[in-house]
Amino acid sequence: MFTTRPTLQGTFGMVSSTHWLASQSAMAVLEDGGNAFDAAVAAGFVLHVVEPHLNGPAGDLPVILAPVGGEVRVLCGQGVAPAGASVEHYRSLGLELVPGTGPLAAAVPGAFDAWMVLLRDHGTKTLAEVLKYAIGYAEDGHAPVERIGQTVETVRELFETEWPSSAAIYLPRGRSPQPGELFRNPALAATWRRVITESASDDRVTQIEAARKIWSEGFIAEALVRQSDRPTLDTSGKRNTGTLTAADLAGWEATYEAPATYDWNGWTLCKAGGWSQGPSFLQQLAILPAELPQYGSADYVHLLVEGCKLAMADREAWYGDAAEAPIDALLSDTYNDARRALIGEVASRELRPGSPEGREPRLSKQAYAIAAGEGGFDAMGIVAGAGEPTVAKDGATRGDTCHLDVVDRWGNMVAATPSGGWLQSNPVVPELGFPLGSRLQMAWLDEGLPNSLTPGARPRTTLTPSLALKDGVPVLAFGTPGGDQQDQWQLHFFLAVALRGSVRGGLDLQGAVDAPNWHNDSFPSSFYPRAMRPGSVTVESRIGEDVIEELRRRGHDVTVGDAWSEGRLCAVARDPRTGVLSAAANPRGMQGYAVGR
């Protein structure tokens, strides 16, 4: 079968990420004696520098890790809503939705602390050793990918007229970052150098703990609170101040939890819990029948699209952190036998959440309105069906994220999906060189829902790394950017791995990454302004004209995208029988890369 690159194989270490500089920085850490967790942290901080339109230090971070000899765990770096971020407060400002940008959209920043906890508990390197790569690229410069400059040009007017601190970094002398020219962020480099200096200690753990304290209570916390208090133009068209306080920052830390899991044909799939969209991946597997149609056929695509619609309707009704998500019931055989029976020969255009354990689903009033057709992607200036990240002139963003996976020679494995804190999400904090995030836009301003905006609760995130075990042993770590599309593209990738055989005796990761992909938007988007397109499915043109025509005959509203436009997957694997490591990365977008030996 055609692949754009080989599936890499070796025995020393493998890395895959959404940017080649992050991948190579992680590999440099492995070459220097570090383990997979050291490498992941180094790569994560490099991604802040080289993909600032996709993630930042004040963003969000779920991690799934499988340490050798230990249990698979989820490390939650998704910050909660500040104590002052209540439905009542936002409604009092005349809002029906949380803005897509600005300080009102900022949760307690979670990414930095999660990276530090991962380094403290599972790494071996010092803070300076893992930060030196990011500091180097921020201080000395890197050649930016095209999309950074495109994003800055999209929001140029906003930066120049309203967010001058962002213009100072991203429009120096009025010029946006250009490919082939060195782009620098000296303020960010200075921030990390100051953290290293102020946390100096001969003991590695003591220094990491001091760095965490600087973030939550020191000069960084003080600057973040000052920024939140500045009136800022957001997507509501008004200048609002945020709710983040010093107490919010000091009172939150990243935590570990058990993953949500589902067993399928000898595999065990591990995801973050119901505060993420991760279990929707598992439910899509649970909805599948025992016998699947031919891989890649119209029957196959139809089945997966319709199963996804049902799982995402349940996500809308039942997932969140403001109430316990009934994940066990949603993944039960009895429940999904009934859900599967709803899949017909014709594409559904309804939003059909189910009733696990006989409980009646309840949606936001806005979700009901959106499902009834009162809203559309054109409200944000989005091209219908676009598989790539989309940014509007007011900074509203759909689906911008990074991903990285690492496996080392000892068998440690990690998957992480850092996101949020985008350059277009909030003004750059001038003292720090990076902005606040905007994850609260994913919570509803209706009381009593699992995903209601609730002080101290996590907004339901789209971030959803994956880790798979075979016969109880960690084998595969993978993930993708893509917002609501993440657990669609990941399911299609995983099934391609599980169903399509092997290459050179191992999993055909690159073939699965390269396989024609698709997604649907038949449920309320997680991003402002929360639109949907009932009956839609967007496919890569490579999927085949016969499949496209049959999908249309079945009532799907098919948008045919470019040949290489759907999915941005990364993956690493380890064969426990032989110790052979593998890796693959997405060719779409021309920046994801796998490295290893």
Side-chain angles (χ1 to χ4, degrees):
M1 65 190 72
F2 171 78
T3 61
T4 58
R5 316 166 183 179
T7 293
L8 305 184
Q9 290 188 317
T11 57
F12 180 82
M14 290 284 163
V15 181
S16 180
S17 87
T18 50
H19 196 288
W20 62 86
L21 292 179
S23 295
Q24 191 53 54
S25 297
M27 195 66 201
V29 173
L30 295 180
E31 296 283 4
D32 194 43
N35 65 19
F37 309 113
D38 297 312
V41 175
F45 279 89
V46 169
L47 287 173
H48 297 159
V49 179
V50 300
E51 293 190 330
H53 59 309
L54 304 178
N55 78 138
D60 325 285
L61 175 67
V63 181
I64 302 184
L65 58 147
V68 172
E71 296 183 351
V72 175
R73 302 291 286 172
V74 171
L75 175 58
C76 175
Q78 175 53 64
V80 299
S86 66
V87 169
E88 180 182 13
H89 174 61
Y90 284 57
R91 290 287 188 182
S92 74
L93 299 174
L95 298 171
E96 294 187 351
L97 292 172
V98 177
T101 62
L104 280 176
V108 178
F112 179 87
D113 195 65
W115 285 128
M116 291 297 99
V117 169
L118 182 65
L119 182 66
R120 179 196 68 190
D121 295 345
H122 298 282
T124 64
K125 294 292 189 179
T126 66
L127 186 61
E129 287 173 323
V130 296
L131 285 180
K132 68 180 181 181
Y133 306 93
I135 291 172
Y137 289 124
E139 199 165 59
D140 301 327
H142 64 96
V145 295
E146 289 84 349
R147 195 166 285 274
I148 297 176
Q150 292 167 0
T151 300
V152 172
E153 285 299 326
T154 300
V155 295
R156 172 185 281 272
E157 183 179 358
L158 176 68
F159 280 15
E160 290 180 334
T161 61
E162 295 284 347
W163 296 8
S165 60
S166 296
I169 296 291
Y170 291 103
L171 287 166
R173 299 174 301 283
R175 184 174 170 83
S176 60
Q178 299 295 314
E181 299 179 3
L182 289 179
F183 175 71
R184 298 174 173 86
N185 188 341
L188 179 59
T191 295
W192 298 146
R193 288 196 181 280
R194 182 175 174 184
V195 169
I196 291 170
T197 299
E198 291 191 8
S199 63
S201 172
D202 292 335
D203 180 73
R204 192 183 74 89
V205 171
T206 299
Q207 184 181 32
I208 293 169
E209 286 299 293
R212 296 178 67 207
K213 204 78 166 177
I214 292 168
W215 178 275
S216 63
E217 299 182 29
F219 79 91
I220 291 179
E222 293 168 358
L224 293 174
V225 172
R226 281 195 300 272
Q227 185 63 48
S228 180
D229 287 341
R230 292 187 177 110
T232 301
L233 183 69
D234 60 36
T235 55
S236 73
K238 299 178 182 179
R239 294 177 182 84
N240 289 301
T241 57
T243 61
L244 185 68
T245 67
D248 294 318
L249 285 159
W252 184 87
E253 63 180 0
T255 55
Y256 293 100
E257 59 188 57
T261 63
Y262 185 76
D263 294 331
W264 185 85
N265 288 6
W267 295 83
T268 299
L269 282 301
C270 302
K271 302 289 284 188
W275 52 271
S276 77
Q277 71 170 335
S280 69
F281 176 102
L282 308 179
Q283 191 179 352
Q284 288 177 81
L285 282 175
I287 289 172
L288 294 177
E291 297 293 327
L292 295 178
Q294 179 183 352
Y295 177 87
S297 66
D299 286 342
Y300 180 85
V301 177
H302 174 78
L303 172 67
L304 266 60
V305 168
E306 294 303 298
C308 174
K309 292 176 186 177
L310 295 170
M312 289 301 197
D314 281 339
R315 182 195 75 165
E316 191 55 54
W318 299 109
Y319 291 21
D321 198 39
E324 185 175 356
I327 299 302
D328 289 345
L330 289 168
L331 297 180
S332 68
D333 291 341
T334 301
Y335 180 74
N336 286 293
D337 287 345
R339 299 296 274 161
R340 187 183 312 115
L342 296 176
I343 299 176
E345 288 298 310
V346 177
S348 170
R349 294 177 178 268
E350 299 178 71
L351 188 66
R352 298 182 289 177
S355 300
E357 301 173 325
R359 298 160 59 182
E360 283 301 310
R362 181 178 166 224
L363 304 179
S364 161
K365 293 177 183 178
Q366 289 289 328
Y368 280 120
I370 291 165
E374 300 172 20
F377 281 96
D378 58 353
M380 187 176 153
I382 290 175
V383 177
E388 285 296 311
T390 310
V391 179
K393 290 183 178 181
D394 61 3
T397 302
R398 182 175 68 98
D400 281 34
T401 306
C402 306
H403 186 80
L404 66 92
D405 304 299
V406 189
V407 61
D408 63 28
R409 62 189 185 273
W410 301 287
N412 296 301
M413 188 176 290
V414 59
T417 308
S419 186
W422 312 310
L423 67 86
Q424 65 275 16
S425 64
N426 257 295
V428 165
V429 184
E431 306 95 320
L432 303 178
F434 59 84
L436 287 164
S438 56
R439 190 61 58 180
L440 290 187
Q441 67 179 290
M442 298 188 171
W444 290 108
L445 296 182
D446 294 74
E447 300 281 8
L449 301 174
N451 193 32
S452 295
L453 181 65
T454 305
R458 294 166 287 193
R460 190 195 71 212
T461 181
T462 55
L463 307 177
T464 174
S466 301
L467 198 142
L469 292 73
K470 187 74 169 174
D471 299 322
V473 180
V475 169
L476 176 64
F478 59 101
T480 179
D484 295 309
Q485 300 157 30
Q486 289 181 38
D487 278 320
Q488 301 183 59
W489 292 337
Q490 289 187 71
L491 177 73
H492 309 159
F493 163 82
F494 170 72
L495 290 176
V497 168
L499 299 174
R500 297 204 324 173
S502 65
V503 58
R504 292 194 296 277
L507 299 174
D508 183 13
L509 301 185
Q510 194 63 52
V513 168
D514 289 350
N517 218 321
W518 64 91
H519 82 274
N520 83 90
D521 297 302
S522 295
F523 47 87
S525 169
S526 296
F527 297 89
Y528 180 91
R530 313 302 293 269
M532 66 179 283
R533 294 176 59 229
S536 69
V537 59
T538 302
V539 302
E540 291 181 326
S541 59
R542 295 181 296 126
I543 205 167
E545 191 61 34
D546 56 335
V547 173
I548 292 168
E549 289 308 310
E550 176 60 18
L551 291 173
R552 285 175 171 155
R553 190 190 69 79
R554 294 185 181 206
H556 295 277
D557 180 8
V558 180
T559 298
V560 181
D562 292 340
W564 297 91
S565 57
E566 291 285 318
R568 295 187 293 283
L569 283 139
C570 302
V572 300
R574 180 179 184 272
D575 187 333
R577 301 167 303 165
T578 64
V580 171
L581 312 178
S582 303
N586 172 50
R588 303 164 180 88
M590 302 294 286
Q591 65 192 68
Y593 248 87
V595 295
R597 69 172 180 87

